[in-house]
Amino acid sequence: MTRREKVLDKLGEDALLVTDPVNVRYLTGFTGSNGQLLLAKESVFFTDGRYITQSAEQVRDVDRQIYSQGSKLTDLLGKALADRGITRVGVEASHVTLATMQRLRDGLSGIELVETTDVVEKVRMYKDEKEVSAIKTAQRRTEAAVADVLRGFAGGMESDLAIELEVALRTTTDGPSFDIIVASGAHAALPHAHPRREPVDMQNLLLIDIGSKVDGYCSDMTRTFLGPNAPDEMRKVFDAVLEALEAGCAAVKPGARCADVDKVCRDVLTDAGYGEYFTHSTGHAVGLDIHEMPAFAPSSEDVLEPGMVMTVEPGVYLEGVGGVRIEDMMLVTGDGAENLTAMPRGSSLPS
Ligand code: ZN
Ligand code: ZN
């Protein structure tokens, strides 16, 4: 089945108006900033005049319609629905603003708009070989960039190091998959630290959370390095986090409950006395978005299946002292899992 067929199969309606740009890309190949897909037995792709050439190249197997001066999306959409005899259409409730919803209601008289959630996202959970290969390539290139930049880093601010890493990624990939985190010393106690105009202390602790995109697909990795002056407690924390990571990765296999993988990591840190300092969930799926479904969270009801690509990223954050997070990406396979991260997890800087 094609991606579009899989979504229609799950939908339970005759048509879905896909408006989230990432979902549109997934279903059509279109990478522009403005495009919509009426997903139906005979789908139609809509975009504006800026994308005539690009959409002709990228969207080859779907009827394309361009709105420009004088015609609105709802005009073309209304006609497409009428031509197909469709009177009920799903909308992506998580991606449509109240204003857009009102425009659709006003412009599509006689059409019932049905709220749907995560229909495309649930199909996106299962990555095919090509998608996995893009994620792997993004990860390999990120690892090379991190090793190169750290070896050559002459010292400077956290933001300088983040910029060097970003330049390296922009040279070899489509660019970073999220804002790179570089946190030195006690600043690493903030799980989502923003790089500051403050010096990196290579003798203390350094946390880097980084990923890149290749063909639209994201990678995600965190490494924490401990210099000779890192607080003693951080070595204990590092060992506990590494043990949690190893236990979590070993629990990743088809049939495992996402909540259980979270618990495996959390239990290791709780036993080490750091449970209350592990303040986020254990991991998330990656794909065209950096955070996708499912998640390794205590409340998750999802079960792992082959083709899912998940991060495992336990962390412990001690205010005023520092933080350690180690993050790998795992592919769930038919009989277990493959770790897509090759960079050593150790605490010493690449040499
Ligand atoms: Zn990360
Ligand atoms: Zn992550």
Side-chain angles (χ1 to χ4, degrees), residues 199-215:
V200 175
D201 181 357
M202 299 298 255
Q203 304 302 306
N204 198 312
L205 174 159
L206 175 64
L207 183 152
I208 295 175
D209 189 350
I210 186 167
S212 66
K213 284 190 182 199
V214 166
D215 296 334

Side-chain angles (χ1 to χ4, degrees), residues 184-191 205 231 233-234 237 274 276-279 315-324:
S184 173
H187 190 218
L190 278 64
L205 174 159
E233 173 144 37
M234 281 296 135
V237 168
Y274 296 116
E276 64 182 293
Y277 305 103
F278 178 25
T279 46
V316 167
Y317 311 93
L318 304 182
E319 199 182 329
V321 186
V324 174

Side-chain angles (χ1 to χ4, degrees), residues 137-156:
T137 304
Q139 178 56 25
R140 286 295 90 76
R141 292 181 185 171
T142 302
E143 289 166 359
V146 171
D148 278 0
V149 168
L150 283 178
R151 269 188 226 112
F153 187 60

Side-chain angles (χ1 to χ4, degrees), residues 17 87-91 101 104-105 108 111-115:
L17 178 62
T87 55
R88 268 170 69 96
V89 59
V91 293
M101 196 64 186
L104 292 173
R105 281 203 190 97
L108 299 172
I111 301 292
E112 190 181 347
L113 300 170
V114 187
E115 289 183 21

Side-chain angles (χ1 to χ4, degrees), residues 36-81:
Q36 297 80 30
L37 178 72
L38 175 65
L39 180 71
K41 239 194 193 119
E42 286 170 64
S43 298
V44 196
F45 171 82
F46 305 97
T47 188
D48 66 69
R50 293 171 299 168
Y51 288 117
I52 294 173
T53 308
Q54 183 176 334
S55 65
E57 279 169 11
Q58 295 182 325
V59 186
R60 291 174 173 273
D61 55 351
V62 182
D63 177 29
R64 282 176 299 109
Q65 296 188 14
I66 311 293
Y67 46 86
S68 49
Q69 295 86 346
S71 71
K72 297 193 299 261
L73 168 65
T74 45
D75 299 337
L76 301 181
L77 185 57
K79 180 155 187 324
L81 290 166

